[in-house]
Amino acid sequence: FCLSKADKEQYEKEERPESQQEILRRAAKDLPIYTTTASRAIRYCDRCQLIKPDRCHHCSACDICVLKMDHHCPWVNNCVGFSNYKFFLLFLMYSLLYCLFVAATVLQYFIKFWTNELLDTHAKFHVLFLFFVAAMFFISILSLFSYHCWLVGKNRSTIETFRAPTFRNGPDKNGFSLGCSKNLREVFGDEKKYWLLPVFTSLGDGCNFPTRLVIMDAEQLTVSSQNEPAKSLGANQSFPPRPLSESQNQLLASDSQWVESGPEEENVKSGSLHHNTSDDS
């Protein structure tokens, strides 16, 4: 995803954005990139001097591009992205269980404190403080953990929730969603016995993600397949009719819901339709 030395020098010499985009299009023609900016431009990071992979964003705090960036977390002093998203979810879950355990074990002494059954010792303040801190952290972590569980089920990041990624058919907030089960496997892996262990088991490489093309109605799909097989991204750059990741990724290998007709099938169908129409007339 990094530009070659010659392309980088040429990119820096060019002053017109159109010429710079032409260089980026030429460099990205063989890359598995299917999202663009809102203005249909190639996503390029001037700080890291590389073409951004899908779902990659630059973190201003870390000053680096992060694969499948979700957000920068000050609690762990790091960015949450592809390489540590599973660990972040486990961190939230085990912190949630720990706060619940602390609040549950202190509850009986907290009740005795309010009923004046607790002996007059210096532990009163500690019991009160410990229960309220555990309860408040439990509520806050529960809301955050529930939100990220919802994100996993939808296969979205926090950034993509507020700004939908732009595909060849336009912005689509569900462009990377493969269904709840497959979305869960993409983060936690195929082996369920490793899901609750702090072991990296996420599928993929962080640069290439299986996608879903925007579903169009039959009439629009027929017109687009006949007149515009690949919607143009720019003057000389076009998307392939079908992303390679959709056919090669193991998450979609057994998917029976994918239906796509090639040019020959389209011609056969068009010919059959024309023949039937002629017979009816």
Side-chain angles (χ1 to χ4, degrees), residues 17-46:
E18 296 80 6
S19 301
Q20 292 179 337
Q21 277 297 307
E22 184 62 31
I23 298 174
L24 296 179
R25 292 191 188 102
R26 185 173 61 250
K29 63 180 181 179
D30 296 326
L31 296 177
I33 298 176
Y34 304 101
T35 59
T36 63
T37 63
S39 59
R40 297 288 182 174
I42 300 294
R43 300 171 64 245
Y44 180 77
C45 180
D46 292 315

Side-chain angles (χ1 to χ4, degrees), residues 186-256:
E186 188 172 312
V187 176
F188 288 94
D190 293 324
E191 298 290 338
K192 293 184 179 180
K193 60 183 178 181
Y194 296 123
W195 282 11
L196 300 181
L197 298 179
V199 179
F200 182 81
T201 55
S202 300
L203 301 180
D205 56 2
C207 298
N208 189 12
F209 296 91
T211 62
R212 287 291 190 191
L213 297 182
V214 179
I215 299 176
M216 299 181 293
D217 54 49
E219 182 179 358
Q220 185 179 1
L221 182 60
T222 303
V223 173
S224 61
S225 62
Q226 292 177 351
N227 299 335
E228 194 177 5
K231 184 167 287 188
S232 177
L233 174 67
N236 299 315
Q237 171 71 10
S238 61
F239 282 108
R242 174 178 175 181
L244 297 177
S245 56
E246 294 180 359
S247 58
Q248 297 176 350
N249 191 280
Q250 58 178 320
L251 286 172
L252 295 177
S254 60
D255 193 354
S256 60

Side-chain angles (χ1 to χ4, degrees), residues 94-196:
Y94 288 128
S95 299
L96 189 67
L97 294 177
Y98 179 68
C99 292
L100 180 62
F101 172 78
V102 172
T105 52
V106 178
L107 180 61
Q108 57 176 327
Y109 302 103
F110 181 77
I111 295 176
K112 290 181 180 180
F113 171 79
W114 283 104
T115 57
N116 293 324
E117 296 180 8
L118 191 65
L119 299 178
D120 190 12
T121 61
H122 295 290
K124 283 187 174 182
F125 173 76
H126 298 84
V127 169
L128 185 65
F129 177 79
L130 186 59
F131 179 80
F132 274 111
V133 169
M136 287 188 297
F137 268 93
F138 174 80
I139 295 174
S140 60
I141 295 177
L142 179 61
S143 61
L144 182 61
F145 180 68
S146 302
Y147 174 68
H148 278 280
C149 287
W150 179 80
L151 289 179
V152 171
K154 297 292 185 180
N155 203 343
R156 301 178 197 169
S157 64
T158 302
I159 296 177
E160 292 169 351
T161 302
F162 293 97
R163 185 173 65 248
T166 303
F167 294 87
R168 65 175 185 173
N169 295 316
D172 182 17
K173 60 183 179 181
N174 295 319
F176 294 105
S177 181
L178 309 175
C180 186
S181 176
K182 293 179 180 179
N183 294 340
L184 190 66
R185 287 168 50 198
E186 188 172 312
V187 176
F188 288 94
D190 293 324
E191 298 290 338
K192 293 184 179 180
K193 60 183 178 181
Y194 296 123
W195 282 11
L196 300 181

